[in-house]
Amino acid sequence: MRICMLLNAVYPTDIRLAKEVKSLTADGHTVFILSEADEGLPDREEVGSATVIRRPFQAAYAGLDGVFAGARTLTTGVVESWMRALDDIVPAEGIEAFHAHDLPMVHTALAAGERHGLPVVADLHENWPEAVKQYRRGSSLGSLTNLRYLADRVARPVFRWKRIERDAVRGADRVVTVTDEAADHYVEDCGVDRSKIDVVSNYVAMDTFGDAELRDVGFDDEFVISYVGTLGGPHRGLDAVVRAMPAVLERVPNARLLVVGNGEEYRRHLESLVSELGVGNHVTFTGRVPFDDVPSYIAASDVCLVPHQSTGHTETTVPHKLFQYMAMSRPVVVTDVAPLRRIVRETDSGMVVQPDNPAGFALAFVELANDEARARTLGENGRRAVEETYNWGRAGEALCECYRKLRNTSGAPERNAELSIV
């Protein structure tokens, strides 16, 4: 099939999307990615095995006309500038299916699908309404001066996002999600038939992590506890890890907490907490690093973290980092949220502690530091699980199977691209 993916971001940026493109094109599909424009990037180019078409969609919101365009988008969920681009691309490229990445793009894809008689795949990387609730809770006061942020918050409260989600997953021909828990949510809370949901998890590509070329990033002769990922806010759970460090250092004097990634506001909060606790000599913030360097930082670690708090979002999603850690044979310490708990206990690849529990984190770190054989076994178990099950080869095959089902489906569901007003 000739597939047009809709990505409301600049591509290339998304590692999941890149893996999806590789799998789909290897299975004989042709993939186009419609994405935002960016200075210095061409309007059209080949990136990997996909053709990327970029348009300055944000420019449509400039000036008075942009205010009205934004209001229409908030009301209908359909972005007119994207529709115009799709109207051009469909006949020019012979598009046969739309693939919308994340909930905000699904209604535009549904409207385009209805106009052109094409099927739609809704690829939901995360539980969007719960993510909105989570990020709004952590928003700074400065956000309240951003008119677009305020308009979105007023026009699309969380309960409306839930209605948008329900309508989107019911209207799509296929729904792709990342965990079994998320699939259960769409069935139980949105009334979707389980047979049209495909679980394509954020598994790791073994050639990227399992066999990565490594460089020396330092931290020799230290017991390194690492978190790799965006510092998106308090729900990441690193407060409890920082608070665990004084107790860890009493038993493991050479311990170091290594935070690889960035997020200015939450990082400042964590740095303040580090200073307050007097553990600055044992905590390193690298900021953002090139993706190619991530395996080297994981390799320099003795134990790796996913300390997420329990929220409606984290209970239905799973981050790439978990599988990256496992592929690098590192024992993991995760919190007791459903997908993390299930995977780590099924694979015996690490330890599960309660969220927001500094004492629990400290006990886990000290145990792993003092029992190298146990830590090594957990890491080996994780690596074996990735080689056998939790690898992108299997996830990519699930995505290709989704398109085989799509191709064999006769007729598309009747759609209504209008969003619920309440």
Side-chain angles (χ1 to χ4, degrees):
M1 299 183 77
R2 296 176 71 81
I3 302 164
C4 180
M5 291 186 166
L6 286 69
L7 178 69
N8 189 21
V10 179
Y11 190 81
T13 52
D14 191 305
I15 60 173
R16 174 182 170 90
L17 195 155
K19 290 184 290 187
E20 289 185 349
V21 167
K22 189 173 182 179
S23 294
L24 288 170
T25 54
D27 202 47
H29 300 281
T30 301
V31 178
F32 299 84
I33 300 171
L34 181 60
S35 87
E36 271 287 349
D38 194 32
E39 187 176 353
L41 294 177
D43 292 343
R44 183 187 180 103
E45 69 170 330
E46 305 302 310
V47 178
S49 50
T51 299
V52 180
I53 301 170
R54 302 186 182 94
R55 296 290 183 268
F57 294 114
Q58 290 301 319
Y61 296 114
L64 185 60
D65 288 342
V67 173
F68 290 112
R72 288 192 295 272
T73 297
L74 288 173
T75 302
T76 66
V78 177
V79 188
E80 295 171 357
S81 57
W82 283 76
M83 286 291 289
R84 289 193 294 271
L86 292 171
D87 287 344
D88 292 338
I89 291 169
V90 168
E93 308 296 350
I95 299 301
E96 298 172 282
F98 295 119
H99 186 125
H101 286 276
D102 276 324
L103 183 59
M105 296 308 302
V106 175
H107 277 273
T108 299
L110 291 174
E114 184 175 29
R115 178 178 294 179
H116 296 282
L118 298 178
V120 174
V121 174
D123 192 340
L124 305 178
H125 303 192
E126 57 187 336
N127 185 329
W128 194 270
E130 291 295 337
V132 168
K133 181 193 298 183
Q134 187 168 273
Y135 285 109
R136 284 179 180 174
R137 186 181 298 127
S139 295
S140 66
L141 291 176
S143 300
L144 300 179
T145 64
N146 185 312
L147 293 180
R148 289 186 62 185
Y149 171 84
L150 282 174
D152 183 74
R153 186 159 186 159
V154 170
R156 291 192 283 203
V158 172
F159 73 82
R160 186 163 182 253
W161 272 116
K162 290 182 181 291
R163 297 286 295 272
I164 292 169
E165 177 188 59
R166 183 206 62 188
D167 295 346
V169 295
R170 288 181 180 180
D173 296 83
R174 305 290 310 173
V175 177
V176 171
T177 189
V178 298
T179 66
D180 293 332
E181 290 81 2
D184 292 341
H185 159 64
Y186 296 127
V187 172
E188 296 166 8
D189 301 326
C190 301
V192 177
D193 189 331
R194 183 64 177 81
S195 66
K196 79 170 188 179
I197 302 175
D198 300 281
V199 177
V200 180
S201 198
N202 288 324
Y203 295 163
V204 67
M206 289 301 293
D207 59 348
T208 303
F209 280 86
D211 305 310
E213 183 176 338
L214 305 177
R215 69 179 185 86
D216 184 5
V217 295
F219 310 109
D220 297 333
D221 302 321
E222 293 183 289
F223 181 78
V224 180
I225 305 160
S226 290
Y227 171 88
V228 178
T230 303
L231 302 181
H235 63 278
R236 301 291 182 178
L238 282 164
D239 292 62
V241 177
V242 173
R243 292 188 185 280
M245 288 304 292
V248 174
L249 290 166
E250 288 181 7
R251 300 283 300 277
V252 188
N254 68 332
R256 174 167 297 278
L257 175 60
L258 174 64
V259 180
V260 181
N262 208 10
E264 291 184 9
E265 188 171 344
Y266 189 44
R267 174 173 170 170
R268 286 195 298 270
H269 164 74
L270 292 172
E271 288 174 333
S272 176
L273 185 57
V274 166
S275 178
E276 175 188 325
L277 295 170
V279 294
N281 290 335
H282 295 271
V283 179
T284 297
F285 294 90
T286 68
R288 180 183 292 275
V289 302
F291 182 71
D292 289 346
D293 285 346
V294 169
S296 298
Y297 282 98
I298 296 175
S301 307
D302 295 280
V303 58
C304 294
L305 285 166
V306 188
H308 291 173
Q309 295 177 347
S310 177
T311 68
H313 182 238
T314 59
E315 292 285 353
T316 53
T317 56
V318 64
H320 296 269
K321 63 174 69 68
L322 174 64
F323 306 111
Q324 294 167 357
Y325 299 158
M326 293 165 65
M328 300 292 295
S329 303
R330 293 300 178 264
V332 297
V333 174
V334 304
T335 41
D336 190 10
V337 297
L340 299 174
R341 177 183 66 244
R342 170 175 56 82
I343 294 165
V344 170
R345 288 183 174 166
E346 282 178 357
T347 60
D348 191 23
S349 57
M351 303 177 70
V352 180
V353 304
Q354 291 303 307
D356 292 319
N357 185 351
F361 281 113
L363 286 171
F365 300 152
V366 170
E367 180 176 333
L368 292 171
N370 291 331
D371 192 344
E372 293 183 9
R374 172 66 172 151
R376 183 167 54 253
T377 297
L378 294 173
E380 291 170 351
N381 290 347
R383 168 73 183 211
R384 183 165 53 252
V386 169
E387 290 176 338
E388 295 175 355
T389 304
Y390 299 97
N391 59 75
W392 184 257
R394 291 174 65 95
E397 174 56 27
L399 179 63
C400 293
E401 180 61 22
C402 164
Y403 271 91
R404 293 179 196 121
K405 295 172 185 174
L406 186 69
R407 178 177 281 157
N408 293 332
T409 300
S410 57
E414 184 177 342
R415 300 193 181 101
N416 180 2
E418 294 292 323
L419 293 185
S420 302
I421 299 302
V422 297

